[in-house]
Amino acid sequence: MNFAGILAGGSGTRMGKTDLPKQFLSLGGRPIIVHTIEQFLISPLIERIVVAVPENWISYTKDIVEKYCDNERIDIIAGGSDRNGTIMNICRH
């Protein structure tokens, strides 16, 4: 099975003061995370897309995915405490 892992667990502190982590900021009227997911959705080679986000943003992310992507190939999971932990959570999924 071919899957894509999207690491969206950061808070975007280098973006400056924002109300949302950078992956949820709007670009062209849609959240950045949606643009990323859509690039994987157009590939027939990708069977599953696992998106890892901060645990307290899982519900918000699910709402966004339903609104813009609504695709059964997408799983939203909690990221880890750091980048490596997030990668491991995706691999374990």
Side-chain angles (χ1 to χ4, degrees), residues 2-4 39-41 43-49 73:
N2 292 320
F3 72 94
Q39 292 306 303
F40 290 102
L41 286 173
S43 173
L45 301 176
I46 303 295
E47 299 169 63
R48 301 285 315 158
I49 301 167
R73 294 188 296 163

Side-chain angles (χ1 to χ4, degrees), residues 48-52 62 71-77 93:
R48 301 285 315 158
I49 301 167
V50 182
V51 183
K62 286 181 179 180
N71 192 292
E72 296 165 0
R73 294 188 296 163
I74 304 168
D75 296 323
I76 311 296
I77 66 166
H93 181 73

Side-chain angles (χ1 to χ4, degrees), residues 2 6 9 11 13-14 20 37 40 43-44 47 54 57 61 64 68 76 78-80 82 92:
N2 292 320
I6 299 175
S11 60
T13 55
R14 291 178 291 185
L20 301 170
I37 292 169
F40 290 102
S43 173
E47 299 169 63
W57 288 92
T61 306
I64 287 172
Y68 293 99
I76 311 296
D82 60 15
R92 281 189 218 107

Side-chain angles (χ1 to χ4, degrees), residues 28-71:
R30 294 178 304 158
I32 292 171
I33 190 72
V34 170
H35 293 279
T36 304
I37 292 169
E38 286 175 339
Q39 292 306 303
F40 290 102
L41 286 173
I42 62 176
S43 173
L45 301 176
I46 303 295
E47 299 169 63
R48 301 285 315 158
I49 301 167
V50 182
V51 183
V53 298
E55 188 152 7
N56 55 330
W57 288 92
I58 289 175
S59 178
Y60 185 84
T61 306
K62 286 181 179 180
D63 290 344
I64 287 172
V65 167
E66 272 185 38
K67 179 177 180 180
Y68 293 99
C69 304
D70 197 20
N71 192 292

